Amino acid sequence: MSSNNDSKNGPDKSRRELLKSAVGGSAFAASVAALPSFVFPALAQGEKLIPFTDVPDTFRVGPVRPNAVHYLDTREIDSYFTDNEDFYLVQHYGQPEIDNTSWRLRITGMVDKEIELSLEDLVQRDVFEQQVGFECGGNGRRLFQGLIGNARWRGVTLRRLLEEAGIQEGAKEIVFFGADMATETIREQEIDKSFARALSIEDALRPENMLAYEMNGEPLPHYHGKPVRLIVPGWYGVANVKWLTQIHVQSTRYMGKFMGRDYVTLKKDNIGGVERWVENSVSEMNLKSSIVRVVEVGGSYRIQGFVLNNGTPLESVEVKIDEGPWQRAEINPRSTKYAWKLFSLNWENPTSGQHTIVSRVTDIDGNVQPTLEDMPEQVTYWEDFAQFPRTLII
Ligand SMILES: Nc1nc2c(c(=O)[nH]1)N[C@H]1C(S)=C(S)[C@@H](COP(=O)(O)O)O[C@H]1N2
Ligand SMILES: [Mo]
């Protein structure tokens, strides 16, 4: 049912119908084995996880600890939304305590009217909700892709607030400051700096950017930026400033650490016919897929994984088993534009022994996820989006 999924709507639609008619009925149990588990993760009981041999026995995912990085064990992704308690955590300056009642958000700089908002003010504005998945720009194979998550965010659009403030002519960038601060040593001087990231005016005005105060139906958790964070759909996690306190509109480039020095890729590119090393601030997510789990249910095997990208619709996700042909996987029909896309491929009668499996994703613009060998030469570990072969024994 997965390799012949040429029509985008046909098979998906019939599966939805099947689900609808099956729920509560006796056809339910019979149809379970035929469904990819991402369609109905609660049915994941009875499935057996096949261990990857590329994951060392020493690899452990610890519990969430204050101020610490937290990553998912991606072999255990079994639901479309990541629980708030499991969603990865990255913060460079610790997790500041903020009191919701005294918290204020200020919009300052090149605006017609500077604005100061309480949480109450924000909550009273038009509600905007969307599904957004993202990964840290530093995510990659060494963590088996664990710096990742997918959630439902609720808040207000950024654009609406910027229109309220009125951006003035000549403005170039908008800087988003978090409440978290640290002392950085810059050219032998100790300087107090807030975490901050900037967007061009054009990027900032994208209608899908939002200030989120809820995550999966709960008030935004402390570790994820309570009470309000920025969400820039389709971008790497670093853009999603947590513990947001100030939005500043300015006519100059913001050159802070997380724009200009850290989260900066350095890779070889062809610049008008000349090969040059180029720095880029980590921004839009690259087209990436990865296999994260293989399960056995009642004697049949499934290969599952995720896709993240900048929101461009997908053409296909394919999986290659050993030296076999690329086989089309099924993409969870539930996925929305900026959510992650979970995919699944039924693996018919695998032979016992060692196997290598790998996935690749193609978008409708014809971009194909490259192999590690085809990646541009780069000297940073940011943006590891190459194909990721996995090994296992059946
Ligand atoms: N204020 C603040 N926002 C921040 C950061 C930070 O250190 N401080 N880290 C960024 C980075 S690098 C990532 S990957 C995401 C992680 O978001 P999460 O912890 O909710 O998963 O938050 C971003 N927002
Ligand atoms: Mo990050």
Side-chain angles (χ1 to χ4, degrees):
M1 79 192 263
S2 33
S3 51
N4 58 358
N5 183 4
D6 285 323
S7 133
K8 280 226 168 74
N9 298 318
D12 292 353
K13 193 155 150 232
S14 58
R15 192 171 325 105
R16 264 198 303 276
E17 308 288 45
L18 174 68
L19 255 181
K20 233 191 277 164
S21 61
V23 169
S26 60
F28 192 56
S31 61
V32 168
L35 290 169
S37 64
F38 57 64
V39 174
F40 216 138
L43 298 174
Q45 306 150 350
E47 60 175 33
K48 192 177 121 216
L49 209 54
I50 309 299
F52 289 113
T53 48
D54 58 286
V55 181
D57 290 341
T58 50
F59 178 77
R60 291 275 177 284
V61 171
V64 170
R65 281 176 295 113
N67 300 318
V69 169
H70 172 71
Y71 46 90
L72 281 181
D73 186 334
T74 49
R75 294 168 295 190
E76 288 172 5
I77 293 177
D78 64 354
S79 61
Y80 179 63
F81 290 121
T82 314
D83 288 345
N84 291 358
E85 295 70 31
D86 295 335
F87 201 106
Y88 86 94
L89 291 166
V90 172
Q91 50 285 309
H92 296 276
Y93 295 158
Q95 296 156 333
E97 287 281 354
I98 295 183
D99 168 45
N100 283 4
T101 338
S102 55
W103 176 84
R104 294 291 180 275
L105 173 66
R106 296 193 308 129
I107 304 181
T108 57
M110 297 179 70
V111 289
D112 296 333
K113 186 177 68 153
E114 296 206 337
I115 296 182
E116 186 175 291
L117 296 160
S118 67
L119 186 55
E120 189 64 25
D121 294 333
L122 216 56
V123 168
Q124 276 165 12
R125 282 174 163 67
D126 288 348
V127 172
F128 183 68
E129 192 175 291
Q130 91 188 303
Q131 304 171 2
V132 180
F134 55 88
E135 64 171 349
C136 175
N139 198 22
R141 58 201 66 217
R142 74 193 192 288
L143 290 175
F144 306 98
Q145 316 296 352
L147 296 173
I148 191 170
N150 188 54
R152 191 161 49 85
W153 308 90
R154 195 177 162 92
V156 299
T157 69
L158 170 64
R159 190 184 174 124
R160 171 75 199 279
L161 291 181
L162 292 175
E163 281 169 358
E164 241 176 88
I167 297 175
Q168 291 181 338
E169 190 109 349
K172 278 205 179 64
E173 285 205 343
I174 306 194
V175 192
F176 299 84
F177 291 95
D180 46 335
M181 289 189 90
T183 306
E184 294 274 357
T185 307
I186 302 171
R187 301 217 168 220
E188 285 137 49
Q189 298 262 357
E190 301 220 317
I191 289 167
D192 290 338
K193 292 289 287 179
S194 302
F195 181 89
R197 280 276 302 190
L199 293 173
S200 69
I201 303 288
E202 192 191 352
D203 286 336
L205 287 176
R206 285 169 64 220
E208 53 271 63
N209 293 336
M210 65 187 294
L211 305 189
Y213 50 72
E214 267 184 38
M215 179 178 184
N216 290 324
E218 289 170 22
L220 189 65
H222 170 49
Y223 293 166
H224 291 287
K226 175 193 139 175
V228 173
R229 79 180 300 173
L230 176 66
I231 294 286
V232 182
W235 285 45
Y236 283 103
V238 68
N240 300 327
V241 178
K242 306 194 271 188
W243 308 288
L244 187 67
T245 55
Q246 188 179 1
I247 298 176
H248 188 72
V249 184
Q250 62 186 40
S251 63
T252 50
R253 292 279 312 281
Y254 178 76
M255 303 292 288
K257 177 173 176 182
F258 299 97
M259 291 300 295
R261 298 193 293 291
D262 217 348
Y263 286 85
V264 173
T265 64
L266 177 52
K267 51 180 182 269
K268 258 194 192 156
D269 208 349
N270 184 305
I271 303 297
V274 185
E275 197 173 67
R276 298 184 189 278
W277 285 97
V278 178
E279 287 102 337
N280 271 304
S281 188
V282 166
S283 56
E284 276 185 26
M285 283 190 284
N286 290 283
L287 180 63
K288 167 174 178 173
S289 75
S290 178
I291 292 169
V292 292
R293 64 199 305 249
V294 176
V295 294
E296 186 242 290
V297 196
S300 71
Y301 290 78
R302 284 182 193 135
I303 298 169
Q304 298 171 319
F306 71 85
V307 172
L308 280 175
N309 75 339
N310 62 3
T312 306
L314 304 183
E315 174 59 35
S316 65
V317 181
E318 298 161 297
V319 172
K320 190 163 85 162
I321 301 168
D322 301 319
E323 292 313 309
W326 286 105
Q327 301 180 55
R328 205 176 248 261
E330 234 179 313
I331 301 170
N332 186 348
R334 181 175 175 182
S335 311
T336 53
K337 186 170 182 188
Y338 294 112
W340 66 14
K341 279 91 193 158
L342 300 181
F343 65 84
S344 176
L345 177 85
N346 286 345
W347 188 359
E348 312 292 348
N349 308 315
T351 54
S352 50
Q354 169 97 27
H355 295 280
T356 301
I357 56 178
V358 66
S359 68
R360 75 168 179 202
V361 54
T362 303
D363 70 17
I364 58 161
D365 294 337
N367 300 304
V368 183
Q369 183 184 6
T371 62
L372 201 52
E373 295 70 44
D374 289 343
M375 286 275 280
E377 198 182 331
Q378 63 171 6
V379 295
T380 61
Y381 63 83
W382 308 112
E383 303 185 6
D384 176 5
F385 61 96
Q387 293 175 24
F388 182 27
R390 313 298 311 264
T391 55
L392 73 175
I393 296 169
I394 297 287

